Amino acid sequence: DCDVVDMQMISDGVAELLTTTFDQLSAPLLQTVKIVSCLGSQVEESTIVSLDSKNLDFNMQNEMSQAVNEGIFERAGPIYQFSHDIIQQTIYELIPSQNRKLLHKTIGMNLLESAANNPTLYLLAVDQINIFCKCGDPNLEECMQFAKDNATAAKFAISASSFERACSYIDMGMQLLDSQSWETQYSLTLDLFEMSASVSFMHGKNDKLSMCLNEILSHAKTFDDSLMAS
């Protein structure tokens, strides 16, 4: 379709122009907008404040104000939003692929430090970590920790009745478990399979429910642990 081709050419041209423009930004401002681009099309000021507390070499809040002046963001109350999707996409793609994976992990881990009593921030942090897990290569220690983080995120999502979102955290947590997790991480593994069974029951996913209950029955160490599957 000619219109589609024309739009693609325009988008490519705009992206090339934007790339040249962004390369002229100061290093702190460019790093700030790169970090924010990893969070999506918009970000809350409270998230910027949380990231700003992590001993960066620059002040993100100051740089965000400059980014608004440059027309990169629009601000509405506590929300910063990229002034156009192509700006966010272009900035995000300026980050080399390997660096991008690590940046998602760093953002997630930094946000987790501030998120203990803030479910919204906690879920945002785990979302960032999961982007890394899906395209990166977490080591064994990271897998163990990130599985725990996903279990906690699932509980927050369930408390908010966001069951589809809870499923994504439960599934990622289970994927991060090692093959011997019933021996090495018994409580966490039991927790994830019990949550998976509960959410599967509510959604009528009988095959997954049956799989989870069989796993629990096969590995439960105590009678109480096996009650859910009985």
Side-chain angles (χ1 to χ4, degrees):
D1 189 291
C2 291
D3 289 341
V4 173
V5 173
D6 287 345
M7 286 301 297
Q8 183 62 50
M9 291 176 64
I10 292 170
S11 296
D12 290 345
V14 171
E16 184 176 346
L17 177 61
L18 288 173
T19 298
T20 301
T21 302
F22 294 146
D23 283 341
Q24 297 172 5
L25 299 176
S26 68
L29 179 53
L30 183 57
Q31 184 61 18
T32 295
V33 296
K34 284 181 177 179
I35 290 171
V36 177
S37 75
C38 292
L39 296 166
S41 61
Q42 64 181 38
V43 64
E44 293 192 15
E45 183 179 23
S46 58
T47 303
I48 299 297
V49 172
S50 294
L51 290 171
D52 235 352
S53 66
K54 303 309 172 189
N55 299 318
L56 298 173
D57 294 331
F58 50 89
N59 186 297
M60 284 187 68
Q61 293 178 78
N62 292 342
E63 299 302 329
M64 288 297 288
S65 296
Q66 180 61 30
V68 171
N69 293 336
E70 295 282 350
I72 299 172
F73 289 99
E74 296 173 351
R75 183 172 183 178
I79 304 294
Y80 292 95
Q81 180 166 339
F82 280 97
S83 53
H84 198 286
D85 288 345
I86 197 171
I87 294 178
Q88 186 262 337
Q89 179 184 344
T90 301
I91 292 173
Y92 187 68
E93 292 178 353
L94 283 175
I95 311 169
S97 177
Q98 187 60 31
N99 293 3
R100 195 184 304 157
K101 298 172 190 176
L102 296 176
L103 185 54
H104 279 295
K105 181 178 77 167
T106 300
I107 292 170
M109 294 178 71
N110 284 343
L111 289 177
L112 277 179
E113 294 179 13
S114 306
N117 298 309
N118 186 332
T120 300
L121 191 61
Y122 198 99
L123 297 186
L124 177 61
V126 176
D127 287 342
Q128 289 293 304
I129 286 170
N130 287 350
I131 293 172
F132 165 72
C133 291
K134 289 173 183 176
C135 60
D137 187 22
N139 59 40
L140 180 59
E141 183 178 351
E142 288 175 334
C143 285
M144 294 173 67
Q145 182 58 52
F146 296 158
K148 293 178 185 176
D149 296 333
N150 272 277
T152 301
K155 292 172 185 175
F156 281 135
I158 290 171
S159 295
S161 299
S162 182
F163 299 114
E164 286 294 335
R165 195 169 186 184
C167 280
S168 69
Y169 296 127
I170 294 166
D171 289 346
M172 177 57 74
M174 293 169 72
Q175 290 172 31
L176 290 167
L177 296 173
D178 66 45
S179 59
Q180 303 299 316
S181 67
W182 281 108
E183 285 75 38
T184 60
Q185 292 177 285
Y186 177 79
S187 295
L188 174 62
T189 304
L190 179 65
D191 199 15
L192 284 166
F193 274 90
E194 286 183 340
M195 284 194 290
S196 184
S198 296
V199 175
S200 296
F201 175 75
M202 286 186 287
H203 282 214
K205 297 180 179 178
N206 295 329
D207 289 345
K208 191 168 186 179
L209 171 62
S210 179
M211 181 275 291
C212 291
L213 296 181
N214 286 335
E215 278 287 306
I216 294 170
L217 281 173
S218 297
H219 297 94
K221 291 182 177 180
T222 68
F223 175 73
D224 286 346
D225 288 348
S226 68
L227 282 178
M228 180 182 188
S230 299

